[in-house]
Amino acid sequence: MSAPTVDTADVTAQVTALATAAKAASRSLAGLSTSAKNTVLAAAAAAVEAAQEQILAANASDIARAEADGTEAALIDRLRLTPDRVRGIADGLRQVAGLPDPIGEVTAGKTLPNGLSLRQVRVPLGVVGIVYEARPNVTADAFGIGFKSGNAVLLRGSGSAADSNAAIVAVLRDVLAAHDLNPDAVSLLPAHDRASVTALIQARGLVDVVIPRGGAGLINAVVANATVPTIETGTGNCHVYVHSAADLDMAETVVVNAKARRPSVCNAAETVLIDEAIVDVALPRLTDALKAAGVTIHGDEPGMEPADEKDWSEEYLSLDIAVRRVAGLDEAVEHISRYGTGHTEAIITSDLAAANEFTNRVDAAAVVVNASTAFTDGEQFGFGAEIGISTQKLHARGPMGLPELTSTKWVVWGNGQIRPA
């Protein structure tokens, strides 16, 4: 059966209308008090929990459609909601409510010799567009963190999660309306045609920033075609380097957790680098532990799936991992520099000098010593729900919490000063 024909002009007009409404809503959010925002977020959390049955029913429809389409298990895991995950969505909203409000925070200030008083304060970005794949929890996360930071959000989720996203957004819009707020502070864009993505990322003057979350193809397409400013949330080809001075009990625990805890997320480890000085002991121990966790190992060693260049640069997002021996820290850093995506890189070592050298030389949004890469996460960092993990270097880098969804403006107070000719 062929897909229905979609009128691109109609989709563009629909997105433009939603963006225009979001722009109007954003103006009303900028002046909301912290207590008012927290009240709404608490109500939203309670409403999500109360609507659990409807949300799970909508998600079951999405899951059934994905399974019928032969979607990979890892992607279905990203899509699936459970009662625990719905409670997690609600808890994320409550966590955001409990965080400091960045709006109005004074980030710099001084008085000039002429008496002018300058203050730099945090202000909302305005309208934030989010383009994301599967993971319906992002729908509520994006609303929560956007709302607390005074922004309206335009959500363009994937078609695979269309029913789940619609159910969640309906709950959120009802909560806003019940509190006499403009429900257009959160809107869901059409998800079954790419024209809606194009319209969103090219809506200059209506949308202030776009944040893509998903695989490399999605992110690259948005970055390459957007005329709206974009914050790039990169893919996660994350490494764990097991140094010659590693505690192997720790290494085993960390590597298995980093890979197998939830392999479908961007902070999962995709490559293990083992120092040649300990490879005879460490390699069999780590590979046995990974295999016991159901992981398929790619590499150059006997008994592994033969690796090629793609394996070293691959973000598997599945129970697969690449393993390579390296001559030492220099080669480990060189490998990471060549194949890493700037997301999260980890070292396991009891050598403080080696740990410091690794953290100094490795260029990534997060560099971890003696812990799992899975900790690169806004909630784990204490930010509450995150809007994404930025791998770029401008404006924001790493897990993006409330401050990263703000800009600043200068407020200047005087008493009649004029600038000399």
Side-chain angles (χ1 to χ4, degrees), residues 298-384:
H298 304 254
D300 300 329
E301 307 291 334
M304 298 180 181
E305 293 292 319
D308 56 23
E309 190 72 7
K310 182 180 178 182
D311 288 288
W312 308 122
S313 57
E314 183 82 350
E315 185 187 29
Y316 290 113
L317 300 175
S318 61
L319 283 172
D320 292 85
I321 200 164
V323 175
R324 171 178 265 180
R325 68 170 74 194
V326 291
L329 192 144
D330 285 345
E331 188 174 342
V333 171
E334 180 182 345
H335 181 100
I336 291 169
S337 297
R338 180 175 180 181
Y339 296 107
T341 54
H343 191 294
T344 303
E345 308 296 354
I347 183 173
I348 310 300
T349 185
S350 59
D351 185 329
L352 181 60
N356 283 330
E357 184 177 357
F358 187 85
T359 61
N360 288 334
R361 292 175 59 188
V362 169
D363 185 17
V367 185
V368 181
V369 178
N370 293 332
S372 173
T373 58
F375 284 107
T376 304
D377 175 85
E379 182 178 352
Q380 293 296 313
F381 279 19
F383 302 162

Side-chain angles (χ1 to χ4, degrees), residues 34-128:
T34 301
S35 61
K37 288 188 279 191
N38 290 346
T39 296
V40 171
L41 288 168
V48 166
E49 288 182 326
Q52 175 180 291
E53 185 176 336
Q54 300 97 293
I55 292 171
L56 290 179
N59 184 248
S61 175
D62 288 332
I63 293 292
R65 190 168 59 251
E67 289 176 340
D69 290 342
T71 304
E72 295 178 10
L75 295 180
I76 290 178
D77 177 63
R78 292 166 76 97
L79 174 62
R80 189 182 306 277
L81 291 176
T82 64
D84 281 345
R85 289 183 181 179
V86 173
R87 283 192 292 273
I89 289 171
D91 287 344
L93 292 169
R94 293 189 181 101
Q95 288 173 20
V96 173
L99 295 171
D101 189 342
I103 301 305
E105 175 191 349
V106 178
T107 60
K110 60 182 177 179
T111 300
L112 300 179
N114 65 3
L116 285 178
S117 174
L118 276 63
R119 289 181 297 127
Q120 186 183 44
V121 298
R122 290 196 183 278
V123 295
L125 290 170
V127 177
V128 179

Side-chain angles (χ1 to χ4, degrees), residues 48 126 187 205 228 246 287 291 314 326:
V48 166
S187 294
V228 170
T287 54
K291 288 177 181 177
E314 183 82 350
V326 291

